[in-house]
Amino acid sequence: MVIVNLKINASKNMKRLLVSALFCSLFFHTLSVRAETLDKIVAIVEDDVILDRELQREVAEIVQRMQASNAQLPPAFVLRKQVLEKMIVDKLQRQMAEKAGISVTEEMLNSSATDIARRNNMSIPQFKAELERQGMSYQSFLDNIRNEIIINQLRGREIGGRIKVTDREVEHYLETQDKIGTESNQYRLGHILIAVQEAASSSEIQKAQKKADEIVEKLRQGQDFGQTAMSVSDSDTALKGGDLGWRALGEIPTLFTDQVGKMRQGDVSDPIRSPSGFHIIKLLEQKGADQQHTITKTKVRHILIKTNELIDDAEAKRRLLDLKERLANGEDFAALARTHSDDKGSALKGGSLDWVSPGDLVKPFEEAMEKLAINEVSEPVQTQFGWHLIQVLERESKDNSDEFKKNQVRDAIRKRKIEEETELWIRRLRDEAFVEIYQDRL
């Protein structure tokens, strides 16, 4: 194997000349060393390469996942092309993340894997077995998670910090939603993007528009949307058949909002122009949503014992059990909290955390709190802060639909803005990068 690391800071044309010379050299080298096999390179991405075996492995994993979900597979050459494009964009993002010093520790990786397994109601050994049953190795899964975390951190740094949502935007959305009505405010859209480079000529733009018009015509004649998206879309949702999933109106890209309000289920839009190209959307399904939301607030207090060099877990639990026994014998919780709690902020208030809403406290504390009756004292509960005795004093439920709706809208608008910015950022990253694809090897 000949390993070549290109470190070229020249123009794209100069890079291509150097790459051509390099591969001539590699070609003659392989002729002279027949015993040594050089893995085929299918693409050069800046100063890195994508090998055919890497592409084959990625395609195989995606095929297995699609077959497991009974999704219809596109032609093999189409799938290879789409997967290669995804790998190119991922590699460009990882290269940028590496330059920015973004990395993932083993602790972060294992924590994420454990969390995913828990959400699927499995232990790690059970989760490993299930992955193997689906044809994916646990190491491959970890590599995918690492890649996802790195890319999310990069996008958060490059895009997330710039996104702001104003109160006026939230109010405007709510006013718009009221005008449209709330009976069909959840939408499942299909999306196809015919990409156009930012510096494209008028003839290239016309060519892309003609292609988009032809696709729309075929879709309206009954051509399968998912298969078409997998075959022609330049969006990162192509391998999912262009399915954007269920979204509230505020989560739909602004570019599509007016169109969606006029569409009926099954309708295919005319091509929609944006800086990244021409978009085609199909309203796959729509439904209403329950607008009422009730939350339960809890008035709670606690006593915290922190662990350190002198106090281990066993000692912390023993001290709390002693305090619980004293409470059972009639001593005052507030007095004991002031004297013994290591949470100095709440200790001054007799251990009171006052009224808390769902999500305000760490998960182990909240889960234990929710199981307690009024005035009941918990067993010792461990969190990242130490060990706690918890007592619930009161609970109240109230309809906070208005506040909940505003928070949902704010989150939806932010998500939509991030998605729009991410699409532009990825297209720009791809267009400005030096990428050489060897079409004869696909």
Side-chain angles (χ1 to χ4, degrees), residues 322-334:
D322 286 347
L323 292 173
K324 185 174 182 181
E325 186 175 349
R326 291 170 65 177
L327 290 169
N329 291 331
E331 292 195 46
D332 181 59
F333 192 105

Side-chain angles (χ1 to χ4, degrees), residues 6 76 84 103 113 141 201 205 232 253 258 266 271 286:
L6 299 174
L84 178 59
S103 60
F141 165 78
S201 65
I205 294 172
V232 303
D258 289 342
Q286 66 183 65

Side-chain angles (χ1 to χ4, degrees), residues 129-222:
E130 177 60 22
L131 287 173
E132 288 172 4
R133 188 187 70 78
Q134 295 182 17
M136 177 183 281
S137 71
Y138 186 64
Q139 186 56 51
S140 178
F141 165 78
L142 289 179
D143 290 342
N144 288 340
I145 294 299
R146 186 193 303 276
N147 185 55
E148 194 173 305
I149 294 172
I150 288 173
I151 288 175
N152 285 340
Q153 287 183 350
L154 174 68
R155 291 181 180 180
R157 202 186 79 155
E158 295 290 321
I159 300 164
R162 302 198 306 265
I163 303 299
K164 308 294 179 189
V165 180
T166 66
D167 291 341
R168 180 61 199 137
E169 286 177 295
V170 174
E171 291 165 8
H172 176 71
Y173 167 79
L174 291 171
E175 290 168 4
T176 304
Q177 187 186 48
D178 287 340
K179 289 176 185 176
I180 293 174
T182 58
E183 292 304 312
S184 57
N185 60 353
Q186 291 283 320
Y187 304 87
R188 181 170 162 245
L189 297 178
H191 172 238
I192 291 172
L193 169 65
I194 304 303
V196 175
Q197 292 189 7
E198 285 185 311
S201 65
S202 59
S203 63
E204 288 173 326
I205 294 172
Q206 288 173 2
K207 183 179 177 182
Q209 183 164 16
K210 182 181 178 184
K211 181 179 180 181
D213 288 336
E214 290 171 351
I215 291 168
V216 167
E217 186 178 349
K218 290 176 182 177
L219 290 170
R220 287 175 176 169
Q221 290 172 357

